[in-house]
Amino acid sequence: MGSRASTLLREEEIEEIKKETGFSHSQITRLYSRFTSLDKGENGTLSREDFQRIPELAINPLGDRIINAFFPEGEDQVNFRGFMRTLAHFRPIEDNEKNKDPSGTEPLNSRNNKLLFAFRLYDLDRDDKISRDELLQVLRMMVGVNISDEQLGSIADRTIQEADQNGDNSISFSEFIKVLEKVDVEQKMSIRFLH
Amino acid sequence: MLDRNSRKCTAALGVCLMLSACGGLASGADPVATKSSPTQTPSSTEPYPDPQKEDLPVFTINYPRIQVPFEITLWVLLASFAKIGFNVYHKITIWIPESCLLISVGLVVGGIMYSVHEVPPPVLSSSVFFLYMLPPIVLDSSYFMPIRPFFENVGTVLWFAAVGTVWNSVGIGLSLYAICQIEALGLQDINLQENLLFASIISAVDPVAVLAVFEDINVNEQLYIVVFGECLFNDAITVVLYNMFTFVAGMPVVETVDVFLGVAHFLVVGLGGLFFGVLFGFVAAFTTRLTSRVREIEPLFVFMYSYLAYLVAELFSLSSITAIVICAITMKYYVEENVAQRSCTTIRHVIKMLGTVSETLIFFFLGVVTVTIKHEWNWGYICFTLLFTFIWRGLGILVLTQIINPFRTIPFNFKDQFGLAYSGLRGAVCFALAFLLPPTITRRDLFVTATIVVILFTVFIQGISIRPLVEFINVRRTNRKLDTINVEIHKRLMEHTVAGIEDLCGQWSHYYWKDKFKKFNDSVLRKILIRDRRAESSIVALYKKLELQNALELLDTTTGDLSAAPSLVDMHEERRAAPKPKKKFLASDLKNMHDLLSKNMYKIRQRTVEYTRKSTLPNNTRAREILIRRHASLRRSIRSSGVNKSYKYYSLPPEKGLEARFPLKRLSYNMRLELEPLSQRSGSRQSQRSTSHSTIAPHRLGPLRESPTDEAANQAFQELPVDRQSDSPLARRSSRYRSDRFSRSPLSPSPPPGSFPEGLHRSDGGQNAKPRHPVWKPYKPDGPPAS
């Protein structure tokens, strides 16, 4: 918002982003002003440090992982397109979208893609499996100091046992989907973006 | 255990009752003496001696001389003993809010006093209540008000406060007037204006009562802020309505001009209160800028200026509560930057103390006075008043919520609406206003009685029942079936993720204005109102860094209670270990796991950190744990950055000099570490502030500066209501630790080559007393700081 923000973002770009992500025009401009305010170096991209400057994210247990999710494999800067692309995962699924037949590519905020986002928070090495160690890491981040390593280990074991169906002692993406089939992922992984 | 506690409790209550009875009798000893009346002529001494000689008095009692302060002290002590008594057995206060208990004790004491025909001190008389009892409570509530949720919800708050109160008053007034037309009740002499006046008194939701109840139940903070804000700000409307109807009650006819005048009056009252609040807030902030040499009286300014704001608003018949609220909010931010740490603690503690004492006294006296005043009872009027209070509040909430929901980011669902409607408690403000009614109103006693009944009913019935009701409603909504462990973990992961993304988006709606205000604040206000040489806050920031660093060192030296995420090394070893056989999990194991997880998994961040009035300084150990863990993992990854996977775990780029990646930008105000003042003034007055570590600071801070999370971390620390007292165990250990490690070299492990060519440069310097700035000096694009 504000004249400065919208002049730096061209209309064509807004249209492209709209098509790709499904956000509305006003949502895109609003998020762009947020993007520019985070971008202290004013070079049109955000680095990890820019994200870490957000205080609430610093004390979010999964802060690092969330930040990591914005940066594609091996890169350290994210531009506005990438930023919006990641945020698009969290757009709520609207009713008119549910019935669209899957002729084109799946929209970024489909249930599958939301689950993939969550899966990738665990699976850092992108081998499409959540190993016991990866699970333990995330568990340890989410849990306080009162749980001992053995207890956490047995929780992790139980988790894998529940989900694992092909016996490889890790959770694959399809197993992950299966475990969460009864959970209302569309609602849990959505935020209401402001206009 | 139960026996002992209950025996203690009954003993304490018995003592309290006895004391209160004695106190009541003692203070009533002189039947005419009240707080406001002048003391009697002293009887023991006379200006000129009698002609006949008297014996020299060896032992005299001069009660009237000390009567007034003595009585005041006794009453305050009594009320406090009652409070102590309740908290002996803490389970009582879970089910019955303290306000109810205090009123009950007050009732008992009132009964005792009534039976011996004593008159209680007129604490709830208008002047004493409004001038002495109410300001501390309002100051307490507003000083600790969570600012961000408040500003996010300010529209809703004002909407409910203004429109809701008017709706309630007019609705109740009109319906009561309709009731009065019924001949059987014998109320026809109450005309419309008087009904409206009474209704305006009754519709004022009371902050004291509401907070007293809310603090015991766990309430969704949106709800809390809206109710809380509504209570505070409906004062403006109530003042206007009250004055308007009082004025109008004397007039036979109401014209439309008067309605417009009323609206104009409301605007004047509200905005005037706002204006004075802001004015005194800024003056207070500016004054504290100048108090660097007179630290001892710093807390005084906070109290004096806020009280002054209150009184000046009263002088102009503006909304004094609004004035004091705005003053506290404005002042807090700047004052806490300017004053010493000790003063800050003192201010907070004294505000809490005064607020609690006031609240206790108010409820206590509500009970006492209930028994001892003259009542006029009319079944019909009183029952219908109660009924209409509920009906109109409920209706009002429903209608108003429907209108305002589309404008809110988080709309209110029905559960919230029920909470809003049910938490409309009336309290002492109504009572004092009723007392203020001019005696020209014929049915004044009836009004007073009706007010008391409504207050007692809401506080007792609603106060006691709100907790079970809230639990009942919540329980109904949740799914009883136990989720699998998987689901529990993944759900929590998703919740944290969503919370993080929301924070990232700056999701809260008034972001635009907040940003603008922030710019204005940084450029103009901070320069004027905050002392430049913020030596104190840089010391505080320093201290925190050292504390953190200590925690890190502790992690290194011992295996640590805070076991961080398993390091890479550990995990590699684990992989190599033989795969364990599949474990069998018993049902009891599962249950244990669920319990463990539900107790120990971090909850989603609250928008306000557990806002209760009982806790003075909120608990940020969780944040500390998370930050320490991140630092530990960062350090591990720094040390073992030879492993090329490190960058994936922690948000550090692989194998590049950190200085290149994170050029020292201008630090935010929280983080500005001006080492120049530190080094120059190492021998100056700072030394007496236990800052011996200022001399070793330049070394030790080298390693920590690398981690970019520090900035955010410290900002997070600052953003949270910060525990500025340094009496945590970490701090104690840190002071001991510092003296141990002073002589050793700062960084024991040598960093891997190529990682941080400049970053760790400083550590080689050894015990160099002269701090070297090349890395440390914060990069300030706009030149060196003005001194």
Side-chain angles (χ1 to χ4, degrees):
Chain A
M1 293 190 185
S3 56
R4 181 177 155 270
S6 42
T7 51
L8 289 181
L9 189 64
R10 296 187 314 275
E11 277 302 313
E12 313 93 66
E13 265 193 75
I14 298 185
E15 284 302 316
E16 284 172 37
I17 297 179
K18 203 164 164 185
K19 235 180 282 179
E20 190 182 353
T21 60
F23 282 117
S24 74
H25 196 284
S26 54
Q27 284 173 333
I28 296 178
T29 32
R30 185 192 198 90
L31 288 168
Y32 187 72
S33 69
R34 175 66 171 167
F35 182 85
T36 40
S37 72
L38 285 175
D39 180 16
K40 297 286 194 286
E42 288 179 15
N43 51 359
T45 59
L46 293 177
S47 66
R48 284 195 166 84
E49 186 206 24
D50 291 320
F51 282 107
Q52 279 156 352
R53 231 181 255 117
I54 305 172
E56 293 87 353
L57 220 47
I59 54 171
N60 189 313
L62 301 171
D64 283 330
R65 298 286 175 110
I66 298 174
I67 295 175
N68 216 29
F70 278 86
F71 294 89
E73 190 78 15
E75 289 179 25
D76 301 308
Q77 300 282 341
V78 59
N79 60 6
F80 186 58
R81 295 289 291 269
F83 184 71
M84 292 303 282
R85 214 172 284 136
T86 315
L87 284 183
H89 285 97
F90 291 91
R91 203 164 63 81
I93 298 184
E94 278 137 42
D95 290 324
N96 57 0
E97 288 180 330
K98 278 194 195 138
N99 301 328
K100 226 189 246 183
D101 64 337
S103 53
T105 51
E106 212 175 347
L108 281 170
N109 64 339
S110 67
R111 183 195 167 92
N112 226 26
N113 278 324
K114 288 182 196 282
L115 282 168
L116 191 60
F117 191 91
F119 188 78
R120 294 228 169 106
L121 288 177
Y122 285 104
D123 182 27
L124 276 187
D125 52 4
R126 300 288 174 96
D127 60 355
D128 276 332
K129 287 209 285 270
I130 302 178
S131 66
R132 182 174 186 270
D133 308 309
E134 290 171 338
L135 187 62
L136 261 179
Q137 279 201 334
V138 174
L139 269 178
R140 181 45 82 185
M141 287 201 270
M142 289 207 293
V143 136
V145 298
N146 292 325
I147 298 197
S148 69
D149 280 339
E150 305 93 61
Q151 288 170 321
L152 212 60
S154 46
I155 292 180
D157 288 329
R158 171 66 189 174
T159 311
I160 296 192
Q161 205 184 63
E162 275 174 5
D164 195 16
Q165 280 157 354
N166 58 357
D168 59 354
N169 222 26
S170 59
I171 308 180
S172 71
F173 185 51
S174 47
E175 289 161 359
F176 189 72
I177 296 181
K178 181 126 203 325
V179 161
L180 291 175
E181 61 188 352
K182 293 219 180 68
V183 175
D184 186 6
V185 173
E186 292 91 334
Q187 193 260 332
K188 273 197 122 44
M189 288 280 276
S190 299
I191 14 179
R192 217 177 98 152
F193 286 96
L194 302 166
H195 290 279
Chain B
M1 193 52 97
L2 194 64
D3 254 337
R4 187 150 49 103
N5 270 339
S6 55
R7 258 185 281 146
K8 256 199 271 178
C9 169
T10 42
L13 276 177
V15 166
C16 295
L17 283 179
M18 265 177 26
L19 279 170
S20 23
C22 296
L25 286 176
S27 59
D30 193 338
V32 184
T34 58
K35 274 193 245 184
S36 42
S37 66
T39 56
Q40 310 283 323
T41 55
S43 52
S44 49
T45 58
E46 296 186 16
Y48 298 106
D50 266 356
Q52 65 215 65
K53 183 182 186 304
E54 278 185 354
D55 292 328
L56 184 70
V58 174
F59 179 70
T60 51
I61 295 181
N62 186 0
Y63 186 67
R65 180 162 176 256
I66 54 136
Q67 180 164 16
V68 171
F70 187 67
E71 287 173 16
I72 297 176
T73 314
L74 270 186
W75 281 109
V76 173
L77 269 180
L78 301 182
S80 312
F81 283 142
K83 210 171 150 80
I84 295 178
F86 302 140
N87 283 308
V88 162
Y89 189 46
H90 67 272
K91 285 224 171 100
I92 297 183
T93 52
I94 294 182
W95 291 106
I96 307 181
E98 234 175 63
S99 42
C100 301
L101 292 170
L102 283 168
I103 295 184
S104 331
V105 173
L107 283 171
V108 170
V109 171
I112 297 176
M113 292 186 76
Y114 185 70
S115 55
V116 292
H117 300 291
E118 301 295 352
V119 172
V123 168
L124 291 180
S125 77
S126 58
S127 59
V128 172
F129 179 75
F130 281 112
L131 292 182
Y132 300 112
M133 311 284 285
L134 193 58
I137 296 178
V138 181
L139 181 64
D140 178 19
S141 315
S142 48
Y143 197 81
F144 292 104
M145 175 139 70
I147 295 293
R148 204 182 318 173
F150 173 68
F151 279 114
E152 287 157 12
N153 287 297
V154 75
T156 316
V157 163
L158 288 177
W159 173 253
F160 277 120
V163 180
T165 315
V166 172
W167 168 282
N168 273 334
S169 310
V170 172
I172 297 178
L174 288 177
S175 1
L176 279 177
Y177 182 60
I179 292 294
C180 287
Q181 306 307 314
I182 301 179
E183 286 197 12
L185 297 172
L187 296 165
Q188 261 129 344
D189 53 337
I190 309 180
N191 59 10
L192 180 63
Q193 286 94 335
E194 288 182 350
N195 269 315
L196 282 174
L197 179 61
F198 176 63
S200 72
I201 299 174
I202 277 290
S203 61
V205 180
D206 187 68
V208 180
V210 167
L211 292 180
V213 162
F214 264 14
E215 68 184 359
D216 293 320
I217 66 179
N218 187 10
V219 163
N220 150 25
E221 82 272 332
Q222 292 286 321
L223 201 61
Y224 179 84
I225 281 293
V226 170
V227 175
F228 181 27
E230 181 197 347
C231 297
L232 284 182
F233 287 107
N234 69 7
D235 172 65
I237 284 281
T238 309
V239 163
V240 171
L241 284 177
Y242 188 80
N243 288 333
M244 195 161 75
F245 289 137
T246 319
F247 189 70
V248 151
M251 288 178 4
V253 176
V254 180
E255 301 166 12
T256 43
V257 160
D258 296 320
V259 176
F260 284 118
L261 280 179
V263 172
H265 188 207
F266 163 63
L267 285 175
V268 166
V269 161
L271 294 177
L274 187 79
F275 167 71
F276 279 116
V278 170
L279 175 71
F280 280 103
F282 281 144
V283 173
F286 188 72
T287 313
T288 51
R289 183 189 167 163
L290 308 169
T291 58
S292 54
R293 299 201 180 272
V294 280
R295 297 278 182 195
E296 299 81 22
I297 59 169
E298 269 175 343
L300 189 68
F301 292 112
V302 171
F303 296 105
M304 293 296 111
Y305 277 113
S306 40
Y307 196 44
L308 208 56
Y310 186 81
L311 293 175
V312 168
E314 280 283 323
L315 165 70
F316 292 110
S317 301
L318 303 170
S319 168
S320 42
I321 292 186
T322 310
I324 204 173
V325 168
I326 300 288
C327 181
I329 294 177
T330 319
M331 176 166 63
K332 173 179 181 177
Y333 175 76
Y334 301 106
V335 161
E336 295 211 329
E337 290 260 335
N338 278 330
V339 300
Q341 200 167 331
R342 287 193 303 269
S343 308
C344 193
T345 314
T346 310
I347 293 175
R348 288 174 173 228
H349 207 111
V350 173
I351 288 183
K352 275 273 165 226
M353 183 184 79
L354 289 177
T356 317
V357 166
S358 260
E359 177 195 340
T360 313
L361 275 179
I362 287 181
F363 282 118
F364 188 67
F365 277 107
L366 204 56
V368 170
V369 168
T370 305
V371 180
T372 51
I373 59 169
K374 188 157 66 92
H375 289 281
E376 178 186 339
W377 188 265
N378 182 315
W379 275 106
Y381 198 73
I382 291 179
C383 292
F384 276 112
T385 308
L386 266 179
L387 189 67
F388 287 135
T389 319
F390 284 128
I391 294 179
W392 283 102
R393 171 117 182 134
L395 270 183
I397 296 285
L398 258 172
V399 170
L400 292 179
T401 321
Q402 292 309 317
I403 300 180
I404 193 118
N405 255 345
F407 298 99
R408 285 181 55 84
T409 24
I410 305 179
F412 285 129
N413 56 15
F414 278 115
K415 192 170 65 136
D416 292 332
Q417 288 172 33
F418 176 76
L420 275 176
Y422 205 67
S423 47
L425 299 173
R426 273 69 171 173
V429 172
C430 312
F431 187 66
L433 281 176
F435 250 43
L436 262 184
L437 281 172
T440 53
I441 298 184
T442 46
R443 298 289 215 136
R444 187 175 171 277
D445 293 327
L446 174 62
F447 287 155
V448 169
T449 309
T451 313
I452 291 185
V453 169
V454 170
I455 294 175
L456 288 181
F457 191 86
T458 53
V459 171
F460 274 90
I461 307 289
Q462 278 180 259
I464 295 181
S465 64
I466 196 170
R467 170 184 280 266
L469 269 178
V470 164
E471 285 183 10
F472 176 67
I473 291 181
N474 276 329
V475 163
R476 280 252 296 239
R477 296 275 300 266
T478 60
N479 196 355
R480 284 310 229 155
K481 196 160 70 84
L482 211 53
D483 295 322
T484 60
I485 302 257
N486 257 296
V487 170
E488 206 173 327
I489 295 178
H490 299 319
K491 269 192 358 196
R492 187 55 62 89
L493 176 109
M494 287 194 254
E495 287 165 5
H496 278 299
T497 312
V498 164
I501 298 278
E502 279 179 349
D503 290 328
L504 201 144
C505 292
Q507 185 66 348
W508 303 98
S509 47
H510 305 271
Y511 182 68
Y512 176 63
W513 292 108
K514 181 178 173 195
D515 204 32
K516 271 207 135 51
F517 177 70
K518 237 186 161 129
K519 290 205 178 88
F520 173 64
N521 191 23
D522 287 337
S523 55
V524 176
L525 290 177
R526 291 184 57 88
K527 293 225 168 72
I528 303 177
L529 296 175
I530 297 189
R531 206 180 319 128
D532 268 340
R533 301 216 160 181
R534 289 172 327 276
E536 276 310 310
S537 35
S538 58
I539 293 288
V540 168
L542 196 58
Y543 206 104
K544 286 198 195 105
K545 292 197 109 170
L546 291 168
E547 220 176 88
L548 272 175
Q549 176 154 28
N550 268 328
L552 297 178
E553 305 289 353
L554 285 171
L555 281 170
D556 292 343
T557 53
T558 69
T559 46
D561 296 327
L562 306 166
S563 46
S567 68
L568 283 170
V569 179
D570 293 346
M571 281 180 0
H572 283 309
E573 284 173 4
E574 229 179 290
R575 275 212 196 96
R576 282 187 235 116
K580 299 195 182 78
K582 235 189 189 153
K583 277 196 226 168
K584 288 263 183 249
F585 291 101
L586 309 167
S588 58
D589 286 340
L590 282 184
K591 185 162 180 315
N592 283 341
M593 283 186 200
H594 277 294
D595 282 339
L596 271 179
L597 281 177
S598 59
K599 278 202 207 95
N600 284 295
M601 278 210 286
Y602 289 131
K603 301 210 179 9
I604 314 299
R605 53 99 182 97
Q606 304 283 338
R607 285 271 141 203
T608 71
V609 182
E610 275 139 20
Y611 183 80
T612 63
R613 293 188 64 203
K614 283 199 170 131
S615 59
T616 51
L617 300 168
N619 177 12
N620 64 348
T621 52
R622 159 193 156 157
R624 210 174 278 224
E625 279 171 17
I626 296 178
L627 283 169
I628 289 174
R629 201 173 296 149
R630 287 178 85 213
H631 278 288
S633 47
L634 269 171
R635 287 179 72 81
R636 284 218 180 82
S637 69
I638 289 172
R639 293 233 185 81
S640 54
S641 69
V643 184
N644 56 9
K645 273 197 180 179
S646 68
Y647 79 89
K648 284 197 177 184
Y649 285 99
Y650 311 106
S651 310
L652 282 182
E655 295 176 29
K656 275 198 203 165
L658 267 184
E659 284 313 311
R661 295 293 311 157
F662 305 113
L664 288 167
K665 297 277 183 65
R666 180 161 195 247
L667 296 170
S668 70
Y669 70 90
N670 292 322
M671 279 291 305
R672 218 175 281 180
L673 289 170
E674 289 129 351
L675 287 185
E676 292 147 321
L678 272 178
S679 58
Q680 287 162 9
R681 291 197 236 138
S682 57
S684 73
R685 58 189 164 90
Q686 283 177 302
S687 54
Q688 72 252 27
R689 280 190 230 286
S690 70
T691 56
S692 54
H693 54 258
S694 65
T695 53
I696 67 168
H699 305 287
R700 304 220 58 104
L701 287 174
L704 263 189
R705 179 62 192 92
E706 299 140 11
S707 47
T709 56
D710 268 350
E711 203 177 290
N714 271 296
Q715 198 168 358
F717 264 150
Q718 294 281 15
E719 289 273 335
L720 295 171
V722 151
D723 181 353
R724 288 177 72 150
Q725 292 174 346
S726 50
D727 54 356
S728 60
L730 279 177
R732 277 198 287 276
R733 266 185 267 166
S734 77
S735 45
R736 241 190 309 132
Y737 173 82
R738 228 192 316 284
S739 48
D740 291 341
R741 296 280 292 248
F742 187 88
S743 43
R744 286 205 259 151
S745 75
L747 255 207
S748 9
S750 60
S755 294
F756 321 114
E758 297 96 7
L760 297 177
H761 186 51
R762 311 179 45 75
S763 57
D764 310 331
Q767 314 306 309
N768 205 340
K770 175 164 155 296
R772 283 180 301 166
H773 293 307
V775 170
W776 257 111
K777 186 159 184 168
Y779 166 62
K780 287 186 175 43
D782 50 355
S787 50

